[in-house]
């Protein structure tokens, strides 16, 4: 949890709000890879790419 707090403080102090969408997209792609690795919806996720 400390990492998230530090990251939020970085965004607030340095006004780097343009980094936030990139981080969210990377997290969503990582989540899709983890979920799609061993599940029944894997073929549907792979067709997105």
């Amino acid at each position: 949890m400390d990492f998230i707090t530090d990251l939020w403080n970085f965004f607030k102090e340095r006004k780097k709000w343009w980094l936030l969408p990139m981080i969210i997209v990377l997290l969503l792609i990582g989540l899709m890879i983890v979920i799609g690795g061993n599940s029944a919806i894997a073929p549907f996720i792979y067709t997105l790419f």
Side-chain angles (χ1 to χ4, degrees), residues 28-42:
L28 287 175
I29 290 173
L31 184 67
M32 283 182 16
I33 289 172
V34 168
I35 290 174
N38 293 327
S39 69
I41 60 170

